[in-house]
Amino acid sequence: MTGLTASYVTLHGAGFTDPARTPFAARAAAAARAGFTGLGVQFADLAAHGGVGAVRTVAADAGLAVTEAEFLGGWALAESVAAPSDAEVTLAEAARAWGPLRVTSGEFAAGPADPGRAADRLAELAARLAPLGVTLAVEAFAWGALCDYPAALDVVRRSGAPNAGVMIDIWHWFATGADAAVLHDIDAREVVGVQLNDGPRVRPDDPDMLRKARSTRLLPGRGELPVRALVAELRNLGYTGPWSVEVNDPWFRALPVDEAARQAFASATAVLNG
């Protein structure tokens, strides 16, 4: 099994949109003790923990790499991305300090997006960030302008960007209506990351989708979703990683950070080891 990354929300100890309850140094130490090799960050969280340089030092001292960052959005509906956004400026600074970085990307706002224009915007961003070793990992959200994985994949393909692909978040994969059959049209090289989690079954038209997305992201193997079957299908495609864990529900985020890290690592490892 390749190394595991703890995505930002998994150990920050608060709700999806809330400031972190757990300091970055405590997250890094807990992740390393649990067995993670990588840690995810959120751009908005960096300033509260000393900025890019300080976060890199803390992670390195714990024996971890910062491998995943979030979130680069707004581009799928934008008329232009000629002027870098604040998130892109921070991302560029981080990539220069940390090296190769996987960045979750997409569109939270409702659409639909014009696939050709969205692909052009993605291509511009990807070209600008490629020299820094940035890979753009595009997610689909049922409420957003890229509302399912075929739409996200279409935009990635139209962009022609070698450093862009899809991020398969297992919760969102099933919530947007995808199943294992969708993978039959995907090349393993088009998947640039997989976020492991679980949850209840949710329909794409569920009116309570956003709340459920932010409060029912369970440990992999602890919900109703066929997580192991999807992992097996991905491996049949030839996908070997990277893997990360993105978990956040009220019970889990109330745990002490060491216990949260231990359970996240153990659950993900059990799923990946079959």
Side-chain angles (χ1 to χ4, degrees):
M1 185 187 77
T2 58
L4 270 175
T5 288
S7 294
Y8 167 71
V9 299
T10 300
L11 299 180
H12 85 309
F16 260 79
T17 59
D18 298 330
R21 175 175 62 86
T22 306
F24 183 79
R27 285 177 249 163
R33 283 191 289 266
F36 288 99
T37 57
L39 201 58
V41 299
Q42 185 186 71
F43 298 136
D45 184 57
L46 292 176
H49 295 90
V52 165
V55 165
R56 180 187 183 280
T57 298
V58 170
D61 286 348
L64 299 174
V66 180
T67 56
E68 185 178 285
E70 57 183 53
F71 185 81
L72 192 60
W75 49 267
L77 296 173
E79 292 289 340
S80 170
V81 292
S85 64
D86 290 345
E88 186 185 344
V89 170
T90 302
L91 164 58
E93 180 188 359
R96 291 187 186 99
W98 303 336
L101 194 60
R102 182 173 64 260
V103 180
T104 54
S105 310
E107 187 58 71
F108 288 133
D114 176 86
R117 188 170 73 180
D120 288 344
R121 301 294 87 82
L122 179 61
E124 291 177 62
L125 288 172
R128 210 152 57 212
L129 293 166
L132 301 175
V134 170
T135 298
L136 297 179
V138 180
E139 289 192 66
F141 307 109
W143 63 84
L146 302 176
C147 64
D148 57 34
Y149 274 90
L153 184 62
D154 180 42
V155 168
V156 167
R157 287 173 171 169
R158 287 173 184 251
S159 77
N163 59 322
V166 292
M167 167 70 84
I168 294 181
D169 177 307
I170 289 179
W171 197 97
H172 285 299
W173 177 264
F174 290 105
T176 57
D179 56 22
V182 176
L183 289 176
H184 298 164
D185 295 324
I186 297 179
D187 187 290
R189 291 169 294 185
E190 296 175 313
V191 181
V192 296
V194 175
Q195 290 177 327
L196 299 164
N197 44 48
D198 209 328
R201 290 268 187 186
V202 180
R203 301 187 319 274
D205 61 350
D206 190 319
D208 203 22
M209 170 72 74
L210 187 57
R211 183 194 66 81
K212 290 179 178 177
R214 293 175 173 175
S215 62
T216 66
R217 204 78 65 94
L218 307 180
L219 290 163
R222 303 285 183 89
E224 302 173 0
L225 304 178
V227 178
R228 285 182 170 83
L230 184 61
V231 167
E233 289 288 342
L234 285 162
R235 284 183 160 150
N236 287 340
L237 280 182
Y239 181 77
T240 58
W243 306 95
S244 53
V245 186
E246 187 174 71
V247 173
N248 193 277
D249 71 85
W251 171 83
F252 181 81
R253 61 183 176 242
L255 292 173
V257 67
D258 271 294
E259 181 61 15
R262 187 194 67 77
Q263 291 201 28
F265 185 83
S267 296
T269 301
V271 165
L272 291 175
N273 288 343

